[in-house]
Amino acid sequence: MSALFTDRHRELLLDLLRLPSVNPLEAGPEDPPSRLPDALARYAAAAARAGFRTVGLAAPHASCLDRPDVPATVRTAARDPRFLAGQPSLLLRLGPDRPRADTVMFNVHLDTVAGHTPPVFDGARFTGRGAVDAKGPAVALLAGLEAAASHPAVGRDVTVLLQAVAGEEGGALGTYGTRPLLEAGHHGRLNVFCEPTGLRALPRATAAMTARITVEGEDAVDDRPDAGHNATVLLGFLAQHLAARLDGAVPGTRVCVAGLHTGRIHNRVHGTGTLLLNLSYRRTRDGTALETAVGRQLADGLRRFTELFGATREFARTARDAARITRLGWDKRGLPALDNHDPWAEALLARAGARPPADDPGFTCDAVWAAGLDGAFTAVLGPGSLAANHAHAPGEFIDLAALEDFAGVVRRLTTSFAEGPRPEAPSTQPRSPAPPPRAPRAPRPEENRTPSRKESG
């Protein structure tokens, strides 16, 4: 059998790897300006060879960020209108507008983390930022869909949607890329989010929240350390206290004690500082429980700090005022977690060559926004591994063989979906009465825009 990932796909991947598309929330001073719109345009042009039509290529409306669960970093960045303008997403469609039961959707992101480097291909391995996360999977996905498009039922009996999105990296969590597309109805009976899973079909994706503990006290000169509030000692104590108390406090959750910053000068008591905690969870209700635990354990830690340091010479003022100068805020919270099951869809994925999820807990990605979709099943599936392939790290790579394997899974999955049957998905929401029949509408032309209303399903 001839290869699905051809020389043409190799050139497309190298082209996409050359184009910097670092998420602005990630970009450092050494990163070149993002050319994400160019990358998406070239991806759309390549998809057109297989018959995909561009339904939308545009940035979302700023109102999509006017929500409490949008990360604070995103809302801050979006104060500059150039931020969203440079972060469009692409929606492609093969076949006409069809009901959700006859639609399969694939989602992949083309933004990357910082550290853009010139790509290298040695004949067997691609190296460069985005190779595995997720420009490599994006091109392999296209290779598989091109092969599937030759099946007479693909496009004729079923519709394929392809989302190539911005805003997955940088902690944006799909709030201005994937979520607006899903909320506009652009999803299917089966939805596949292309992320590195080692070809495991994961029916789950964790969500994450970020707690920001801030101390706002007064500085002091090093000759009189007792005159100020020592944020370094206070936050250092709280970091250890929370690490010990939150570890395993809610089963199924993970706690990352992240950045702690007060100051860099040695001859000063730094009275202000921050401590960040990143907290992931597999079930939405566990996230709620963990959020409660953070507040409770922070209060307990402040009490213990006051007891321990209240009688000291240098830190008595900090101990006395600890509760007053310390506050808990959330850079992000309230995000859903994906955890769904559907025997038919999982069997379909297995027949296509996807590996079973085993006990893989999954990770946080845009698939969380598919949680609760009625009449649908969602899986996270792709080639390579976040850890083994050095995603988000120097030397990120993906092997040509892994891309070929994923293209084969995509082809088999799409054609099997088209051949049917496609039973109704297990319901995740109470059913409402069916609406009365609607009069047929006149066909409307395709537009080069981000759709504002449901066009599939």
Side-chain angles (χ1 to χ4, degrees), residues 109 133 168-169 171-174 195-196 202 204-209 278-282 332 335-338 361-369 380 386 392:
H109 69 92
D133 187 24
E168 199 275 344
E169 300 289 8
L173 290 172
E195 294 279 352
L202 305 182
R204 49 189 169 262
T206 61
M209 53 189 174
N278 207 53
L279 311 146
S280 65
Y281 48 93
R282 289 177 54 174
K332 62 175 179 284
L335 276 65
L338 174 71
F363 48 87
T364 304
C365 67
D366 283 7
V368 298
W369 300 115
V380 183
L386 289 171
H392 296 203

Side-chain angles (χ1 to χ4, degrees), residues 72 208-214 235 242 246 254-260 274-281 290-295 298 327-334:
M209 53 189 174
T210 301
R212 179 180 294 271
I213 300 169
T214 303
L235 288 173
L242 292 171
L246 295 177
R254 303 296 297 267
V255 178
C256 170
V257 180
L260 192 164
T274 57
L275 168 66
L276 295 174
L277 305 177
N278 207 53
L279 311 146
S280 65
Y281 48 93
L290 188 55
E291 181 181 336
T292 300
V294 170
L298 175 60
R327 62 182 176 86
L328 170 63
W330 295 91
D331 285 5
K332 62 175 179 284
R333 60 173 168 173

Side-chain angles (χ1 to χ4, degrees), residues 220-226 266-269 314:
V221 66
D222 60 332
D223 292 318
R224 288 291 310 278
D226 59 309
H266 73 281
N267 58 350
R268 179 185 300 174
V269 171
E314 313 294 10

Side-chain angles (χ1 to χ4, degrees), residues 4 25 165 207 245 307 350 376 403 435:
L4 303 181
L25 300 173
V165 301
R245 295 299 183 90
E307 293 171 359
L403 297 175

Side-chain angles (χ1 to χ4, degrees), residues 94-119:
L94 177 64
D97 186 7
R98 283 194 172 91
R100 189 168 304 134
D102 299 319
T103 301
V104 57
M105 186 276 285
F106 294 90
N107 172 290
V108 68
H109 69 92
L110 292 188
D111 64 325
T112 71
V113 298
H116 181 78
T117 58

Side-chain angles (χ1 to χ4, degrees), residues 17-315:
L17 291 174
R18 292 186 192 102
L19 287 171
S21 55
V22 177
N23 188 295
L25 300 173
E26 287 270 351
E30 297 181 357
D31 287 302
S34 173
R35 295 183 60 189
L36 179 64
D38 293 335
L40 291 170
R42 296 184 194 187
Y43 192 75
R49 295 174 60 97
F52 279 90
R53 301 181 68 182
T54 297
V55 179
L57 175 53
H61 192 274
S63 61
C64 74
L65 303 183
D66 189 21
R67 306 167 74 148
D69 57 4
V70 173
T73 52
V74 176
R75 294 197 300 270
T76 299
R79 293 172 185 167
D80 184 342
R82 293 173 296 180
F83 174 77
L84 280 183
Q87 294 284 288
S89 289
L90 171 67
L91 178 65
L92 303 168
R93 189 173 69 206
L94 177 64
D97 186 7
R98 283 194 172 91
R100 189 168 304 134
D102 299 319
T103 301
V104 57
M105 186 276 285
F106 294 90
N107 172 290
V108 68
H109 69 92
L110 292 188
D111 64 325
T112 71
V113 298
H116 181 78
T117 58
V120 175
F121 178 57
D122 64 6
R125 173 172 291 183
F126 296 90
T127 303
R129 179 60 72 224
V132 71
D133 187 24
K135 293 180 178 180
V139 177
L141 168 64
L142 193 55
L145 290 175
E146 287 179 2
S150 64
H151 191 289
V154 176
R156 184 195 68 190
D157 300 333
V158 299
T159 291
V160 181
L161 292 177
L162 174 50
Q163 301 177 3
V165 301
E168 199 275 344
E169 300 289 8
L173 290 172
T175 49
Y176 60 81
T178 293
R179 178 159 68 171
L181 290 174
L182 292 181
E183 291 186 343
H186 302 296
H187 48 88
R189 170 67 178 84
L190 175 63
N191 305 286
V192 178
F193 284 74
C194 301
E195 294 279 352
T197 68
L199 290 186
R200 282 193 173 93
L202 305 182
R204 49 189 169 262
T206 61
M209 53 189 174
T210 301
R212 179 180 294 271
I213 300 169
T214 303
V215 170
E216 296 178 328
E218 296 180 11
D219 288 3
V221 66
D222 60 332
D223 292 318
R224 288 291 310 278
D226 59 309
H229 297 109
N230 198 311
T232 306
V233 174
L234 175 53
L235 288 173
F237 178 89
L238 292 174
Q240 296 186 63
H241 176 83
L242 292 171
R245 295 299 183 90
L246 295 177
D247 183 16
V250 180
T253 66
R254 303 296 297 267
V255 178
C256 170
V257 180
L260 192 164
H261 178 74
T262 54
R264 301 182 182 278
I265 299 175
H266 73 281
N267 58 350
R268 179 185 300 174
V269 171
H270 296 281
T272 61
T274 57
L275 168 66
L276 295 174
L277 305 177
N278 207 53
L279 311 146
S280 65
Y281 48 93
R282 289 177 54 174
R283 297 181 300 179
T284 304
R285 64 176 180 269
D286 292 340
T288 302
L290 188 55
E291 181 181 336
T292 300
V294 170
R296 183 175 62 251
Q297 292 301 336
L298 175 60
D300 182 64
L302 290 168
R303 286 191 296 270
R304 290 173 59 85
F305 181 86
T306 298
E307 293 171 359
L308 183 62
F309 289 92
T312 63
R313 182 181 65 180
E314 313 294 10
F315 310 108

